[in-house]
Amino acid sequence: MEKTSGLPGWAAVLAVVAHPDDESFGLGAVLSTFAGAGALVDVLCLTRGEASTLHGVEGDLSLVREIELRAAADALGVRRVTLLGHPDGGVATVRPTVLDGDVERALEQTRPDGLVVFDSTGISGHPDHVAATAAAVRAGDRHGLPVLAWALPDEICATLASEGYAGFLGRRGGEIDLALTVDRTAQQAAVDCHPSQAVPGSVLWRRLELQGDTEHLRWLRRP
């Protein structure tokens, strides 16, 4: 594993995620670091997050989450967000050719030098995350683009599990390629834009505490 304070020198980056808040809760520090280095960062989000298990949110949750996502994107320095309407919780049931078409259209718009995604495990094993990442990797294969994935080390997942937050899927040290030093200021601002999801007592806060100022990344397609 290479410890680094820098990311690839991409001029344009496309993040492919499943849900409104993945760009902040998961990829936020990575995307803001790219943006801070001058890269044009775009986000393709495959669902509107309407199947959130949280309750007590007034109004149309899919609209609420769109508003939250666009505010969070501004906080992260994202140039453009494309929000699609695939079923939240059902992305894995969508034909791969349909998802491939979605990613192709985003690539035509953004012309990225590389893609950023969740780890192929989905981090939590969520099928929507897994399907979103798989679609990005297929696009990388078609176009010869590198795909960089956010991962969690086994040690953090083990600590979370011991504290009652089971379900995270980590990576051994040898499977992690980069340990990136980050400033989480922009990510925190983006997280704050998601009040319907970033609720008190959420595992999000403990995970970010354990991650500290380090993000762990692995190549799903190398440059």
Side-chain angles (χ1 to χ4, degrees), residues 117-201:
V117 296
F118 277 33
D119 196 2
S120 55
T121 62
I123 297 293
S124 63
H126 196 304
D128 285 1
H129 295 163
V130 174
T133 293
V137 172
R138 290 194 299 271
D141 289 340
R142 290 191 300 273
H143 294 277
L145 290 171
V147 181
L148 187 61
W150 168 58
L152 287 176
D154 277 343
E155 294 80 5
I156 288 178
C157 296
T159 299
L160 290 171
S162 73
E163 296 175 357
Y165 302 114
F168 288 95
L169 302 175
R171 293 288 182 178
R172 300 186 303 275
E175 297 177 294
I176 293 172
D177 297 306
L178 301 172
L180 176 72
T181 301
V182 296
D183 179 343
R184 295 198 185 274
T185 303
Q187 182 182 25
Q188 183 61 62
V191 167
D192 290 343
C193 293
H194 290 281
S196 76
Q197 307 300 305
V199 297

Side-chain angles (χ1 to χ4, degrees), residues 17-20 45-50 83-89 91 128:
V17 298
H19 308 123
C45 182
L46 299 178
T47 80
R48 302 181 70 89
E50 73 280 1
L83 184 62
L84 303 183
H86 292 302
D88 183 9
V91 177
D128 285 1

Side-chain angles (χ1 to χ4, degrees), residues 72-92:
D74 288 343
L76 294 173
V78 169
R79 173 178 62 167
R80 180 192 297 115
V81 171
T82 300
L83 184 62
L84 303 183
H86 292 302
D88 183 9
V91 177

